[in-house]
Amino acid sequence: MNDRTIFRVMDKETTDTIHPDERKSAYLLPRRIVWKQGKISNEEVLLKERESQISLAAWDDCVMDSTDGQASLLLDFGYEIHGGIRILAWKDSTDRGARVRIRFGESVMEAMSEPGGEGNATNDHARRDIRTEIGMMSMNRIGETGFRFVRIDLEEENASLSLKSIAAVLVYKDAPYLGSFSCSDPLLNRIWDVGAYTVHLNMQEYIWDGIKRDRLVWVGDMHPETLTIRTVFGADASVARSLEFIRKETPLPGWMNGMASYTMWYAIIVHDWFMYTGDLEWLRSQEEYLEGISRQLSECIDEKGKDTVTEGRFLDWPSSDRPDVVDAGVQAIHLLAADSLRKLFMALGKQGPAEECARDMERLACFPADADGSKQAAALLVLAGLRDAEEMNGSVLAEGGAEGMSTFMGYYILTARAMAGDYEGCLACIRDYWGGMLELGATTFWEDFDVKWMEGAAPIDRFPKEGETDVHGTYGDYCYKGYRHSLCHGWASGVTPWLTENVLGVRIMEPGCTKLEIKPHLGNLSWAKGTFPTPFGVVHISHKKKKDGSIESKIKAPAGVTVIS
């Protein structure tokens, strides 16, 4: 530690154990008071900017009084955030700390919920339902979870609590937005931004699955997040740190997160991250492990070319009840992983392992796999080269528009449709699917979503009216039923890199972004522009559709990046 920091008074034995938190904190005021109950006065003061320091004398305070029953407030902070709240309290009538209950919610109805019941409200992992005490002249932080709404109940009977302010504490990584996207459709612009913001909240020191619930490094879920991170933030250290973490946590012959398909995704992520960074030294540090998983996966192919992994045959949750669909999807993921490993070994100069991977690819390609009407399986089969893009788009992928989409698999479904040249169909699907979440009040994208949920549903930022459906508490399945459903899930952000890759037309052709292909596909858009970060600097891109339908492009790339179009 530097001897000029706060740690200078400590001995070396102590400072050697210190791990500085690279994240920052910021305070947000409530945007509105959604609901109140009981005896509360001057609550509007909580919406006003005030000095964030408690003092001796109370003035212009909000008073919660429970002499005539419980007093409660429900606050809306405007956007989903990661963090907690800080309450500045002048005094409580007990002189020992008044008992309060604080409930965080990603929706109005979650913040109003009791544990269990039909809505399946939980307090798992990151605690969202907390009982504590608030005393005089206090200003303490409470909670750390994902939320937009906070309900505060004064549970102390016959008591009063004098409040100066209640602020949300946003805990975040201060990473600059190097990538950008805008076009002639404001809805698409908003969708790109929300996808970026969703991942940013989950991009803490490691890449989390979701900020409300288990916060684990689920390596399979990371692939869409990794694509979003490189598109928006560039080579953020959280990616390599998360990959290192999951590798160390999974000694061979174990499968990452207990799922063979997630080990396959690990190989795909390592390849894509190397293509972006071009960091050969980092890749060499993964070499031994990559060879190990390559041999392990090779042993899981039978004489007919079928993938035979038994532990963790997972595609995505909506497909988990359809074994044939899972088989087809995992077959495709295995082939994609073998191809990724082949390319990595070629970059490492490991000819023998690369040839073994090529043989595995040939074996896997011999086994017939059927999507059985599943958009997820169909998309992966197309990406793996096992099915024709136009055929799958016509018979499965474009069928029903946004119906049957998957938040996790959205990027792959859109990419397969783009391979069939159906760009306008993709843009329509994006508007309906990700735009549908926004229409329901989302400020981040969800763990799962079905456009059918929109029928008769109330937005998440207000109470349902009579006859309306509580979309958060009613829907969801498997591990995300009701209020346990995460409304900020990084794997749902794949639309953000898709727009950059397809509308702006950016493709990485050589490791380290030394060569980029930029071929725009505007569909029914009249213009699009944006930036793409590379290890050499930011590429500036602008496309405009001319009267004859041709596209005029202006591209400015930093030295070290060759652009082909």
Side-chain angles (χ1 to χ4, degrees):
M1 286 288 176
N2 188 315
D3 63 5
R4 299 178 68 181
T5 70
I6 193 173
F7 308 113
R8 65 187 297 273
V9 301
M10 300 177 184
D11 58 44
K12 186 176 184 301
E13 188 177 30
T14 300
T15 58
D16 283 348
T17 68
I18 291 172
H19 173 71
D21 192 338
E22 63 188 53
R23 300 171 302 174
K24 290 188 175 182
S25 297
Y27 297 109
L28 285 74
L29 289 178
R31 297 281 293 275
R32 64 188 175 108
I33 296 167
V34 181
W35 166 88
K36 71 172 186 175
Q37 170 185 273
K39 192 175 179 181
I40 300 175
S41 62
N42 202 27
E43 65 272 11
E44 294 81 7
V45 72
L46 299 177
L47 308 180
K48 297 178 182 179
E49 186 73 44
R50 309 185 78 174
E51 289 185 348
S52 57
Q53 171 63 44
I54 199 64
S55 58
L56 283 172
W59 58 277
D60 198 19
D61 53 344
C62 168
V63 178
M64 301 180 73
D65 189 315
S66 62
T67 55
D68 293 329
Q70 181 174 283
S72 304
L73 277 173
L74 178 63
L75 306 175
D76 176 9
F77 290 92
Y79 288 86
E80 171 113 11
I81 68 165
H82 161 253
I85 60 171
R86 188 176 74 165
I87 299 177
L88 272 64
W90 265 303
K91 57 186 177 180
D92 75 284
S93 61
T94 69
D95 292 328
R96 56 164 170 74
R99 292 189 301 272
V100 298
R101 180 183 183 185
I102 298 169
R103 277 175 276 184
F104 298 90
E106 295 185 301
S107 66
V108 160
M109 295 304 290
E110 183 186 18
M112 297 293 290
S113 65
E114 295 288 341
E118 292 183 5
N120 192 38
T122 65
N123 213 16
D124 296 344
H125 313 304
R127 311 294 279 183
R128 53 156 293 276
D129 191 340
I130 299 169
R131 283 182 165 90
T132 187
E133 293 178 347
I134 296 177
M136 62 182 294
M137 289 178 286
S138 61
M139 45 188 293
N140 300 317
R141 292 187 181 186
I142 302 168
E144 186 178 342
T145 185
F147 70 98
R148 173 178 169 180
F149 305 92
V150 176
R151 174 173 169 171
I152 301 170
D153 301 325
L154 177 56
E155 293 194 320
E156 186 81 39
E157 294 182 359
N158 298 311
S160 64
L161 187 62
S162 168
L163 302 174
K164 180 178 183 180
S165 67
I166 302 173
V169 184
L170 168 62
V171 179
Y172 68 105
K173 189 170 189 178
D174 191 16
Y177 282 56
L178 303 173
S180 63
F181 175 89
S182 61
C183 68
S184 54
D185 185 342
L187 177 57
L188 296 179
N189 301 338
R190 176 68 178 149
I191 288 169
W192 192 98
D193 286 343
V194 171
Y197 179 67
T198 300
V199 162
H200 197 177
L201 293 181
N202 285 284
M203 189 178 72
Q204 301 287 320
E205 292 183 292
Y206 297 87
I207 301 174
W208 291 345
D209 187 42
I211 53 176
K212 179 178 79 172
R213 217 168 55 223
D214 53 9
R215 299 162 167 225
L216 295 175
V217 177
W218 289 99
V219 71
D221 308 355
M222 270 179 59
H223 188 246
E225 292 181 275
T226 302
L227 298 178
T228 304
I229 288 169
R230 76 182 192 184
T231 299
V232 180
F233 305 101
D236 190 83
S238 61
V239 175
R241 186 181 295 132
S242 298
L243 292 171
E244 281 294 298
F245 171 80
I246 197 66
R247 179 175 66 85
K248 291 175 181 177
E249 288 283 308
T250 317
L252 297 175
W255 298 116
M256 290 183 167
N257 303 127
M259 293 188 280
S261 57
Y262 274 33
T263 293
M264 298 173 193
W265 280 117
Y266 169 82
I268 295 168
I269 295 169
V270 169
H271 168 263
D272 287 359
W273 195 242
F274 171 68
M275 286 295 292
Y276 180 76
T277 65
D279 190 342
L280 192 57
E281 182 179 351
W282 173 78
L283 182 59
R284 288 195 180 105
S285 72
Q286 314 298 310
E287 184 175 332
E288 183 179 350
Y289 196 84
L290 292 170
E291 288 193 41
I293 64 174
S294 180
R295 289 190 297 269
Q296 196 164 310
L297 288 170
S298 184
E299 293 170 359
C300 296
I301 307 172
D302 68 15
E303 65 280 358
K304 296 180 181 178
K306 186 181 187 300
D307 169 272
T308 61
V309 294
T310 56
E311 186 178 351
R313 295 184 65 79
F314 182 79
L315 182 57
D316 70 345
W317 284 113
S319 306
S320 58
D321 292 336
R322 302 176 62 186
D324 291 345
V325 169
V326 173
D327 285 348
V330 173
Q331 185 82 11
I333 298 170
H334 194 157
L335 198 154
L336 289 167
D339 191 30
S340 293
L341 288 165
R342 178 186 66 83
K343 293 172 181 175
L344 290 171
F345 291 138
M346 291 293 289
L348 289 165
K350 307 283 289 188
Q351 189 67 31
E355 291 175 354
E356 285 293 329
C357 290
R359 284 191 284 272
D360 287 345
M361 292 174 63
E362 292 176 0
R363 294 162 64 198
L364 290 163
C366 290
F367 188 80
D370 184 9
D372 194 25
S374 162
K375 293 188 176 184
Q376 297 95 309
L380 291 169
L381 291 172
V382 169
L383 268 59
L386 297 175
R387 286 291 183 275
D388 178 73
E390 291 190 18
E391 175 195 347
M392 285 289 96
N393 191 54
S395 62
V396 180
L397 298 172
E399 189 70 24
E403 291 185 8
M405 285 288 289
S406 157
T407 50
F408 177 27
M409 287 283 157
Y411 170 83
Y412 313 104
I413 294 170
L414 292 172
T415 300
R417 294 188 67 177
M419 290 170 66
D422 188 9
Y423 294 100
E424 291 195 10
C426 287
L427 295 180
C429 181
I430 290 170
R431 294 181 182 103
D432 290 342
Y433 192 70
W434 283 271
M437 284 182 261
L438 298 183
E439 190 174 330
L440 288 175
T443 59
T444 49
F445 291 135
W446 302 351
E447 183 174 15
D448 190 26
F449 180 63
D450 190 319
V451 290
K452 293 179 180 178
W453 296 356
M454 297 180 67
E455 185 176 351
I460 62 172
D461 57 1
R462 64 169 173 81
F463 292 95
K465 299 174 183 177
E466 186 176 355
E468 289 185 324
T469 301
D470 168 16
V471 70
H472 194 185
T474 302
Y475 297 112
D477 210 342
Y478 307 102
C479 72
Y480 51 86
K481 293 179 180 178
Y483 297 127
R484 195 174 190 274
H485 187 186
S486 163
L487 300 190
C488 179
H489 230 64
W491 73 10
S493 70
V495 63
T496 294
W498 188 92
L499 287 166
T500 294
E501 291 174 8
N502 292 274
V503 176
L504 292 185
V506 180
R507 288 283 192 279
I508 301 170
M509 307 302 291
E510 298 290 345
C513 300
T514 55
K515 181 184 287 187
L516 298 178
E517 178 186 72
I518 300 182
K519 291 186 177 179
H521 303 281
L522 298 186
N524 50 17
L525 302 173
S526 58
W527 60 269
K529 63 181 179 179
T531 53
F532 181 77
T534 77
F536 298 95
V538 174
V539 180
H540 296 262
I541 304 161
S542 176
H543 305 300
K544 184 177 181 180
K545 190 180 291 183
K546 300 196 307 190
K547 290 182 179 180
D548 62 2
S550 63
I551 297 174
E552 177 184 2
S553 297
K554 295 180 181 179
I555 301 166
K556 183 180 179 182
V561 177
T562 300
V563 175
I564 59 174
S565 56

